[in-house]
Amino acid sequence: MTYECITTRTEGDKVAIITLNRPKALNALNDQLMDELGAALKGFDADPAIGCIVLTGSEKAFAAGADITAMAKFTFADAYKGDFITRNWETIRNIRKPVIAAVSGFALGGGCELAMMCDFIIAADNAKFGQPEIKLGIIPGAGGTQRLPRAVGKSKAMDMALTGRMMDATEAERAGLVSRVVPLDKLQEETLGAALQICAFSQVAVMAAKESVNRAFEGTLADGIVFERRLFHALFATADQKEGMDAFVNKRPAEFQHR
Ligand code: CAA
């Protein structure tokens, strides 16, 4: 499939890099971009060679939100019937391999929501996060009111959603929205490093860890603990567990089978 709103490439044959590419509109998300993103993510998720996916934008913008020009004249029926922008979000949620967001510049509205749907966010020091939908007479529509409070707590999430103000990278890291902040010129290198590190581990264990952490946001603590325990015990059935522990005991690097 040829893409117009994104580009894709692989690094070291293991890491897939998807770059949002609508520079004139600061990577504003429209249906075409989201359809292409959904297709690319599904393709890489199904590709046995790929161990980790990186989603990124430009230096100026990860994504400045849903495309306001595209939706300005929408009626309720248009938005509802077309499931504007949000129709691919379940696809993203169902990707089983790790997806890292490498964010520089603006991550606003749907852009912030897209970054939050990734498994973790590495931010450049020029990153700015926000849910400015209130300024347009709407509210976040792709999980912002749900994921932001889970990430940064109620008070800060309310502040962001009700005033529409932006959070810089330092505040975002302090609040727990992003896992690391790095200088802009180190963003790609740092993210690729993290992705390659993940690819070197047992893919079965990596996917199980992702599935288990995600449970923490979707159910009760008691259910999450049981889920984690079942996966933890199940991993003892893998050759990679034998290899990982034998390598540790014998003071040698592990060579995992499932990578
Ligand atoms: N949709 C469509 N076009 C956008 C856009 C968006 N979300 N954001 C920026 N653009 C376009 C601008 O219209 C402009 O196009 P032209 O050159 O043709 O005029 C171009 O990108 C560059 O933008 P600016 O000139 O505004 O750049 P700036 O540096 O002065 O400001 C900005 C940058 C602060 C990000 C500003 O562009 C802005 O506020 N954008 C809108 C952000 C926003 O409101 N996002 C939420 C959208 S709603 C949503 O996302 C709903 C949801 O939950 C799914």
Side-chain angles (χ1 to χ4, degrees):
M1 179 170 176
T2 40
Y3 300 123
E4 288 174 4
C5 301
I6 61 170
T7 61
T8 63
R9 66 191 169 92
T10 55
E11 281 278 350
D13 293 336
K14 287 258 160 206
V15 179
I17 300 178
I18 303 176
T19 306
L20 306 179
N21 188 34
R22 293 189 70 212
K24 286 188 185 143
L26 301 186
N27 293 334
L29 311 169
N30 59 13
D31 278 334
Q32 186 184 350
L33 185 151
M34 293 305 293
D35 288 347
E36 292 180 7
L37 178 59
L41 284 167
K42 266 203 228 167
F44 286 131
D45 204 32
D47 182 343
I50 297 299
C52 189
I53 303 167
V54 172
L55 180 58
T56 194
S58 69
E59 285 191 3
K60 179 157 187 198
F62 177 74
D67 191 320
I68 301 169
T69 322
M71 66 182 159
K73 295 217 161 59
F74 272 5
T75 61
F76 167 75
D78 295 329
Y80 185 77
K81 277 169 64 190
D83 199 4
F84 176 64
I85 276 292
T86 52
R87 65 181 180 224
N88 276 295
W89 294 72
E90 289 310 306
T91 308
I92 302 170
R93 213 168 80 92
N94 291 330
I95 299 301
R96 299 184 69 204
K97 290 175 185 165
V99 184
I100 308 174
V103 174
S104 44
F106 298 109
L108 302 177
C112 185
E113 293 166 304
L114 182 57
M116 288 193 290
M117 285 204 79
C118 297
D119 296 315
F120 63 97
I121 302 172
I122 301 183
D125 50 13
N126 76 336
K128 285 194 185 304
F129 298 87
Q131 298 290 163
E133 288 89 343
I134 200 77
K135 297 180 183 172
L136 300 169
I138 56 169
I139 66 168
T145 64
Q146 306 304 301
R147 289 199 176 84
L148 194 59
R150 281 170 171 79
V152 304
K154 176 183 163 185
S155 189
K156 209 173 265 290
M158 280 288 191
D159 181 0
M160 308 292 293
L162 297 182
T163 69
R165 79 169 174 90
M166 293 185 214
M167 203 193 274
D168 67 16
T170 308
E171 183 181 1
E173 186 184 31
R174 198 171 62 226
L177 180 60
V178 312
S179 69
R180 321 177 189 180
V181 178
V182 298
L184 176 59
D185 62 355
K186 292 274 179 298
L187 180 66
Q188 299 307 327
E189 183 187 324
E190 180 90 4
T191 312
L192 185 60
L196 287 169
Q197 203 174 5
I198 291 168
C199 290
F201 297 133
S202 165
Q203 198 173 70
V204 183
V206 164
M207 288 166 73
K210 168 168 172 161
E211 204 179 358
S212 199
V213 173
N214 276 334
R215 274 289 166 123
F217 298 98
E218 285 160 10
T220 63
L221 177 61
D223 287 345
I225 296 285
V226 172
F227 184 81
E228 178 196 74
R229 195 164 299 160
R230 292 290 168 265
L231 283 181
F232 172 70
H233 289 154
L235 288 169
F236 284 83
T238 66
D240 284 343
Q241 172 271 325
K242 302 286 172 294
E243 168 62 12
M245 294 194 185
D246 185 71
F248 177 82
V249 170
N250 291 299
K251 303 191 189 306
R252 62 172 176 84
E255 281 294 330
F256 293 114
Q257 221 176 78
H258 297 286
R259 288 200 288 199

